[in-house]
């Protein structure tokens, strides 16, 4: 069954009585003319762990995505229980019992931990809605299994990166799958968390789960694997039992050569003192840190995730400012107000967050490589491509970068080649001090050896280097001295030759009781954080309303008269319905600029039909308006999803088209109150128990919106599609269909709003709701719906709409000059958004403090 390339079938086949729930058979995957995987075959056996090794770009992630249903094979097939199958989506793979932890977690920071765990397979109650009790109970169970002590209701975005990785593991376990695929699951985990994961793996092995582990850390591979499969350049080189394959042989199979110098010998003497820190402290990160760094020295910073290593690097590079202590360069005290100041002092910093902080993923290789030296590419202020290439080409060649051209987007490169671009970018600045934060995280063994050789060469040339790494062998093998940190405090220092993994780990983890207490305190903060933030967010909107309403009422008591409150409530009903429509689109990371045009077109068409068919009045009016709005929304959604055109462009164009069509249809005519039936006018003007019917209708619509968005799986998937579109696709959420649904429902609500508008204001022409789109968008955004997608609440849009209308009504009552009205209106909106931004920033700072 297996095609094993160089080793041959007899060498790699290991007869086993274990069941084979899934296998790749002669699998080939091509992207255009590029072959990512060629004729690869291997099987996953129940109760075993197959480790998949290979350099970056060897085809490991392609194998994962073929088994996960993300990709369809170009040739060959996937077998389940010995039978060929076709996975058209991740849902198909999940239905076959395959669960995947992807290399870049498909998580959703705006949703709760429990929702992240169960999204895509949420438990349902008897009415078809989300069974929250079952979901929370299940989430607590799998969180306990992976050892993560957080509330299931906690918003995921408040957790540390390592904690989020544990949530990804918990999500995979929640499927109760018989096949578990782990793609780089330990990259962001501390040693303690890795041990917990391996305990889980051991338990799953006993329960007969077939597992595949993709990783680069050889210690972990040889500890956890039963069999090892090796890929090179898209081809399977072989599959062997762990006991028959030594580390050197595995590395040789991966890179096609023997790698004997993973940690090169270094014997040069260090030079003069270059950088010194005395009593350096930063609140929430580290305290009273002393360190010295000499020319030609590699100084290691060791410790668990969150021990303060990265925080020290950020202060030394000027990103954050110290609260106490000083930094000295060549014996002279300096103060870095920004990273630019540190760069001027010839310090470079390679961040641990390659995708988030080190690279602009949509930029080309060349654009990324020249960013720190952009001024040198410009002559007389004009950027020159040839000058840019001349500046960085030498370093990119020295890095042995594999790329098709300088214009290639950096996101198309493998992780190892992306890291080479990062290193070339900073080395081109010709630094004296180079700070490397996890420089080999997520890269293959061959590239890792190249990076280590580069570090040794740079140190030999006199560069002073700080190396931060979570891999003990890397710290011990590369560093002249190692400073160990725990909870922001320096606990030990080891010279080269003195350090062992046991000594470093003991220094990093001693006094564990205080660490546990700190973790418990952080957990308490997480428990109360989200609710506290919600209250303050709403408080900002209430404060804005009161700031206008109270002084206006003092000046003009008519502000609180029954007639005025009724009028404001009726206007608010219309605005809230329209804001809900806008919210549906915004949470999917889109926008609808045509909403007011849809309202205007629907209003005129509804009034025309009521005028033409008075016997059908309310029925014909509502059906017409909703049909017009629904069709308009679907048109927008289809162009956005099928045409792959940004929503702002599509809806800007459709706004003009709908307005133009309405003007042509109306031909300058106006439909007045005496041309429609009284029943049509009473549809919104009638009062029930003193409450206008239009307000009751709006409340009913909001209740239905609540059920959709918060009580159904589809509603939560709308949020997920905007929070992390790529992650949503990885777990089988049909993102394009959800976006189309959002536009369709927004159009339907816009049409209904048009019908209510026509009934409320009676006199209708082609200019209905002209300019109203800005008010609708403002109501949603002021109410806390994020333009970036994935976040927003119904209570927020209600308060946002009321805030805008109270401001407008209040300023009108005090007879503010109309020329000033819009200016004051905009200023108060800006203040409300400013308060909201401040609250969000404080919440993010609190999250970062807990992560340290």
């Amino acid at each position: 069954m297996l095609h094993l390339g160089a080793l041959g079938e007899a060498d790699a086949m290991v007869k086993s009585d274990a069941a084979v729930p899934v296998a790749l058979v002669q699998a080939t995957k091509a992207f255009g003319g590029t072959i990512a995987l060629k004729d690869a075959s291997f099987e996953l056996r129940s109760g075993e762990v197959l480790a998949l090794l290979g350099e970056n770009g060897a085809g490991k992630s392609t194998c994962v995505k073929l088994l996960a249903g993300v990709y369809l094979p170009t040739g060959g097939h996937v077998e389940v229980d010995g039978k060929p199958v076709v996975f058209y989506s991740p849902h198909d793979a999940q239905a076959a019992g395959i669960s995947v932890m992807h290399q870049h977690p498909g998580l959703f920071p705006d949703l709760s931990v429990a929702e992240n765990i169960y999204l895509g397979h949420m438990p349902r109650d008897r009415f078809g809605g989300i069974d929250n009790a079952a979901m929370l109970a299940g989430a607590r169970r799998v969180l306990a299994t992976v050892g993560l002590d957080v509330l299931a209701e906690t918003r995921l975005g408040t957790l540390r990166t390592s904690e989020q990785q544990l949530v990804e593991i918990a999500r995979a376990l929640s499927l109760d799958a018989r096949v578990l695929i782990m793609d780089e699951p330990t990259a962001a985990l501390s040693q303690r968390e890795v041990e917990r994961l391996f305990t889980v793996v051991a338990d799953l092995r006993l329960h007969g789960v077939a597992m595949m582990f993709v990783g680069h850390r050889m210690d972990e591979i040889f500890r956890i694997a039963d069999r090892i499969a090796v890929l090179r350049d898209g081809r399977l080189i072989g599959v062997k039992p762990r006991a028959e394959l030594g580390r050197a042989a595995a590395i040789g199979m991966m890179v096609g050569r023997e790698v004997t110098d993973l940690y090169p010998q270094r014997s040069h003497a260090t030079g003069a003192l270059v950088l010194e820190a005395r009593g350096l402290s930063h609140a929430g990160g580290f305290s009273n840190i002393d360190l010295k760094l000499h020319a030609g020295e590699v100084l290691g910073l060791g410790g668990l995730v969150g021990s303060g290593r990265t925080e020290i690097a950020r202060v030394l590079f000027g990103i954050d400012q110290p609260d106490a202590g000083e930094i000295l360069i060549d014996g002279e005290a300096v103060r870095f107000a920004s990273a630019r100041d540190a760069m001027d002092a010839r310090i470079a910093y390679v961040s641990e967050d390659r995708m988030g902080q080190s690279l602009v993923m949509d930029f080309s290789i060349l654009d990324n490589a020249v960013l720190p030296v952009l001024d040198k590419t410009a002559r007389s202020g004009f950027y020159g491509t040839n000058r840019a290439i001349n500046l960085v080409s030498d370093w990119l060649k020295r890095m042995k970068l594999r790329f098709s051209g300088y214009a290639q987007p950096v996101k198309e490169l493998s992780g190892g080649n992306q890291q080479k671009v990062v290193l070339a970018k900073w080395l081109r600045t010709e630094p004296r001090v180079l700070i490397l934060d996890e420089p080999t995280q997520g890269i293959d063994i061959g590239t890792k050896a190249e990076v280590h050789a580069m570090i040794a060469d740079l140190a030999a040339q006199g560069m002073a280097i700080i190396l931060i790494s979570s891999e003990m062998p890397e710290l011990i093998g590369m560093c002249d001295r190692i400073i160990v940190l725990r909870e922001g405090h320096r606990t030990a220092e080891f010279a080269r030759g003195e350090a062992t993994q046991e000594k470093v780990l003991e220094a990093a983890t001693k006094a564990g009781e205080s660490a546990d207490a700190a973790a418990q305190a952080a957990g308490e903060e997480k428990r109360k954080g989200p609710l506290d933030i919600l209250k303050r967010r709403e408080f900002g909107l209430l404060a804005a309303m009161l700031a206008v309403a109270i002084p206006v009422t003092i000046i003009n008591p008519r502000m609180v008269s029954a007639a005025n409150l009724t009028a404001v409530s009726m206007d608010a009903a219309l605005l809230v319905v329209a804001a809900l429509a806008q919210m549906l689109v915004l949470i999917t990371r889109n926008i609808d600029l045509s909403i007011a045009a849809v309202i205007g077109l629907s209003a005129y068409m509804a009034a025309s039909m009521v005028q033409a068919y008075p016997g059908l009045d309310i029925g014909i009016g509502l059906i017409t308006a909703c049909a017009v709005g629904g069709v308009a929304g679907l048109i927008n959604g289809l162009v956005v999803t099928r045409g792959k055109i940004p929503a702002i462009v599509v809806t800007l164009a459709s706004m003009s088209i709908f307005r133009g069509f309405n003007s042509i249809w109306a031909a300058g005519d106006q439909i007045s109150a005496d041309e429609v039936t009284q029943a049509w006018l009473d549809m919104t003007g009638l009062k029930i128990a003193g409450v206008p019917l239009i307000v009751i209708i709006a409340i009913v619509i909001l209740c239905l919106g609540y059920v959709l968005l918060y009580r159904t799986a589809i509603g939560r998937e709308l949020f997920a599609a905007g929070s992390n579109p790529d992650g949503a696709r990885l777990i089988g959420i049909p993102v394009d269909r959800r976006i189309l649904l959002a536009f369709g429902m927004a159009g339907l609500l816009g049409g209904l709003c048009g019908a209510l508008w026509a009934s409320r204001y009676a006199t209708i022409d082609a200019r209905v709701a002209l300019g109203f789109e800005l008010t609708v968008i403002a109501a949603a955004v002021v109410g806390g719906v994020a333009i970036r997608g994935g976040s927003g609440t119904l209570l927020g849009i209600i308060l946002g709409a009321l805030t805008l209308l109270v401001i407008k009504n209040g300023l009108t009552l005090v007879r503010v000059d109309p020329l000033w009205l819009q200016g004051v209106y905009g200023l108060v909106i800006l203040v409300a958004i400013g308060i909201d931004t401040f609250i969000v920033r404080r919440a993010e700072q609190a999250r970062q403090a807990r992560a340290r």
Side-chain angles (χ1 to χ4, degrees):
M1 172 179 166
L2 299 180
H3 174 75
L4 299 169
L7 286 184
E9 200 168 303
D11 287 334
M13 280 291 286
V14 179
K15 297 300 182 183
S16 172
D17 294 330
V20 181
V22 69
L24 275 183
V25 181
Q26 302 289 303
T28 297
K29 182 61 181 177
F31 299 93
T34 303
I35 303 295
L37 190 69
K38 179 71 172 177
D39 294 333
S41 299
F42 58 79
E43 58 189 25
L44 304 186
R45 299 170 183 167
S46 297
E48 288 188 4
V49 177
L50 173 72
L52 189 60
L53 290 180
E55 295 188 271
N56 290 104
K60 303 187 301 299
S61 291
T62 302
C63 290
V64 170
K65 290 179 179 179
L66 288 172
L67 292 170
V70 178
Y71 293 158
L72 281 170
T74 307
H77 60 270
V78 177
E79 282 188 358
V80 173
D81 296 326
K83 299 178 181 178
V85 298
V86 178
F87 294 150
Y88 292 102
S89 73
H91 266 310
D92 293 343
Q94 291 175 15
I98 299 173
S99 180
V100 183
M101 305 175 198
H102 289 281
Q103 182 177 1
H104 302 296
L107 299 175
F108 310 95
D110 300 297
L111 301 184
S112 72
V113 169
E115 288 172 328
N116 271 275
I117 290 172
Y118 280 100
L119 203 64
H121 60 286
M122 287 183 162
R124 309 295 176 89
D125 59 22
R126 58 179 178 171
F127 302 108
I130 300 170
D131 188 340
N132 276 310
M135 182 173 68
L136 290 172
R140 294 185 189 107
R141 175 178 57 82
V142 292
L143 288 173
T145 300
V146 301
L148 181 56
D149 182 23
V150 298
L151 282 181
E153 298 92 334
T154 304
R155 188 174 69 86
L156 184 99
T158 64
L159 303 186
R160 301 196 314 256
T161 301
S162 61
E163 291 173 326
Q164 292 185 21
Q165 183 68 57
L166 290 173
V167 173
E168 173 79 357
I169 296 169
R171 194 194 76 79
L173 297 179
S174 72
L175 291 165
D176 292 327
R178 58 192 188 127
V179 177
L180 177 62
I181 299 173
M182 298 167 278
D183 192 358
E184 298 280 5
T186 64
L189 300 184
S190 70
Q191 187 63 38
R192 187 179 302 168
E193 290 161 340
V194 170
E195 293 298 327
R196 183 66 187 180
L197 172 61
F198 284 1
T199 300
V200 172
V201 169
D203 183 64
L204 294 175
R205 184 188 272 118
L206 292 175
H207 285 83
V209 176
M211 290 168 278
M212 185 169 82
F213 185 94
V214 182
H216 292 302
R217 297 176 179 176
M218 302 302 288
D219 287 346
E220 295 176 357
I221 293 294
F222 277 85
R223 178 180 169 188
I224 199 173
D226 297 293
R227 294 178 298 128
I228 297 174
V230 181
L231 292 169
R232 185 171 75 235
D233 297 328
R235 292 181 179 273
L236 183 69
I237 302 303
V239 182
K240 276 201 168 186
R242 177 191 60 185
E244 297 179 14
L245 187 65
R247 299 190 188 197
I251 294 171
M253 290 167 64
M254 287 169 56
V255 302
R257 67 186 189 280
E258 186 177 1
V259 178
T260 59
D261 55 350
L262 183 58
Y263 304 113
Q265 295 295 320
R266 299 173 49 242
S267 58
H268 66 273
T270 58
L273 181 64
V274 176
L275 181 146
E276 183 178 3
R278 297 177 182 170
L280 208 61
S281 299
H282 182 67
F286 56 90
S287 178
N288 198 30
I289 297 296
D290 295 329
L291 63 81
K292 294 182 179 180
L293 179 66
H294 298 79
E297 181 180 29
V298 180
L299 174 64
L301 294 184
L304 302 180
V305 175
S307 61
R309 302 169 306 169
T310 296
E311 288 73 19
I312 291 173
R314 288 172 62 88
V315 168
L316 292 176
F317 192 59
I319 299 173
D320 298 325
Q321 305 304 308
D323 300 314
E326 59 181 352
I327 300 171
L328 296 89
I329 301 291
D330 296 328
E332 295 186 8
V334 296
R335 182 172 181 82
F336 299 142
S338 67
R340 171 52 62 183
D341 291 344
M343 291 170 63
D344 291 341
R346 296 180 61 192
I347 299 176
Y349 170 51
V350 176
S351 167
E352 65 175 336
D353 185 0
R354 179 169 63 234
M355 298 179 67
Q357 297 179 14
S358 294
L359 294 171
V360 182
M361 301 306 291
D362 291 326
F363 278 19
S364 68
I365 292 170
L366 180 61
D367 288 342
N368 272 283
V370 300
L371 275 177
V373 292
L374 202 56
D375 56 328
K376 296 180 180 179
T377 67
R379 182 177 298 166
S380 302
F382 292 98
Y383 175 82
T385 301
N386 290 334
R387 286 192 294 274
I389 292 174
N390 291 334
L391 276 171
V392 300
S393 60
D394 183 54
W395 272 111
L396 291 174
K397 288 176 183 176
R398 290 173 66 179
M399 290 290 166
K400 300 178 182 178
L401 184 70
R402 299 177 185 176
F403 66 113
S404 60
Y406 292 109
Q408 182 181 3
V410 76
K411 65 184 177 183
E412 295 180 0
L413 299 177
S414 66
N417 283 307
Q418 288 176 354
Q419 188 70 346
K420 290 178 180 180
V421 174
V422 175
L423 292 167
K425 175 181 79 170
W426 285 112
L427 290 172
R428 184 59 191 82
T429 65
E430 301 177 357
R432 294 179 63 203
V433 176
L434 177 62
I435 304 172
L436 300 171
D437 195 350
E438 303 285 6
T440 62
Q441 180 174 280
I443 64 176
D444 59 74
I445 197 75
T447 303
K448 188 175 293 188
E450 293 172 2
V451 171
H452 290 162
M454 179 208 69
I455 292 172
D457 183 55
L458 292 172
Q461 296 174 33
M463 187 178 294
I465 299 172
I466 295 176
L467 175 61
I468 301 170
S469 177
S470 297
E471 294 191 46
M472 297 287 187
E474 183 170 65
L475 279 177
I476 295 169
M478 290 301 303
C479 298
D480 298 295
R481 286 185 298 124
I482 300 172
I483 293 175
V484 185
L485 301 167
R486 179 184 57 79
E487 297 178 21
H489 297 277
R490 175 173 167 157
T491 58
E493 180 177 329
F494 301 101
R496 188 179 183 89
E498 295 179 356
T500 64
Q501 293 196 43
E502 292 76 14
K503 288 181 179 180
V504 173
L505 187 59
E506 181 184 2
T509 58
K510 66 183 180 182
E513 291 183 2
S514 63
D516 291 342
Q520 184 176 357
E524 292 302 319
E525 286 297 313
K526 290 169 189 169
R527 285 163 169 74
K528 67 182 181 180
L531 184 59
D532 188 50
I533 292 169
L534 179 61
K535 289 178 180 176
R536 288 182 292 168
R537 181 189 296 277
E538 295 169 352
F539 174 78
L541 296 173
L542 290 171
M545 280 190 280
L546 292 175
V548 173
I550 292 174
V552 169
T553 302
I554 293 172
I555 297 171
N556 188 346
R558 187 183 164 196
M559 178 80 177
V560 292
S561 67
N564 189 60
L565 291 177
T566 299
V568 170
S569 68
M570 295 177 75
D571 288 344
L574 285 173
L575 181 53
V576 165
V577 173
L580 174 59
Q582 190 66 240
M583 176 183 173
L584 291 171
V585 176
L586 285 174
I587 61 174
T588 65
R589 203 175 285 196
N590 289 282
I591 193 168
D592 188 359
L593 298 178
S594 69
I595 182 67
V598 171
I599 291 172
L601 179 60
S602 302
Y604 192 86
M605 297 292 285
S608 297
M609 294 301 288
V610 172
Q611 180 189 35
Y613 303 97
L616 300 175
D617 49 24
I618 294 177
I620 195 69
L622 287 174
I623 292 172
T624 300
C626 291
V628 169
V631 170
L634 288 174
I635 290 172
N636 283 334
L638 285 169
V639 177
V640 169
T641 55
R642 300 290 176 85
K644 304 301 179 184
I645 302 173
I648 192 170
V649 176
V650 173
T651 57
L652 183 62
S654 63
M655 176 179 69
S656 299
I657 292 171
F658 297 154
R659 283 285 180 198
F661 181 80
N662 199 15
S663 297
I664 294 171
W665 183 271
D669 289 341
Q670 184 182 75
I671 300 174
S672 59
D674 56 3
E675 295 179 89
V676 295
T677 65
Q678 186 60 43
W680 174 252
L681 300 178
D682 288 342
M683 182 176 68
T684 55
L686 189 68
K687 289 187 178 181
I688 299 177
V691 179
L693 185 57
I694 190 173
V695 174
I696 296 174
I697 293 172
I699 292 172
V700 171
I701 291 170
L702 286 171
C703 290
L704 293 174
Y706 173 81
V707 172
L708 170 69
L709 291 174
Y710 299 100
R711 300 296 301 170
T712 69
I714 287 178
R716 305 317 290 161
E717 289 175 1
L718 287 174
F719 282 96
S723 183
N724 182 355
D726 293 335
R729 291 186 176 93
L730 282 177
I731 63 172
I733 294 175
V735 173
D736 285 348
R737 277 189 280 170
R738 295 295 174 261
I739 293 173
L740 180 61
L741 175 66
F743 273 103
M745 290 190 298
L748 185 66
L749 286 173
L752 178 59
C753 188
L756 297 176
W757 191 297
S759 172
R760 162 93 167 93
Y761 294 110
T763 301
I764 301 298
D765 58 24
R767 295 172 297 174
V768 165
L770 189 64
F772 190 56
E773 60 274 343
L774 298 179
T775 305
V776 173
I777 294 170
V781 173
V782 169
V785 182
I787 292 290
R788 60 172 171 77
S791 178
T793 65
L794 292 179
L795 182 56
I797 63 170
I798 293 170
L799 291 175
L802 288 173
T803 299
L804 299 187
L805 291 175
V806 166
I807 292 167
K808 182 178 179 181
N809 182 253
L811 296 179
T812 302
L813 288 175
V814 295
R815 299 182 180 179
V816 171
D817 190 318
L819 294 176
W820 288 95
L821 183 60
Q822 291 300 318
V824 175
Y825 190 31
L827 179 62
V828 178
I829 293 172
L830 187 61
V831 169
I833 294 176
I835 293 172
D836 183 69
T837 302
F838 173 75
I839 292 169
V840 171
R841 187 181 298 120
R842 287 290 299 273
E844 177 63 18
Q845 290 171 349
R847 186 195 71 81
Q848 291 176 356
R850 289 194 296 270
R852 289 165 179 162

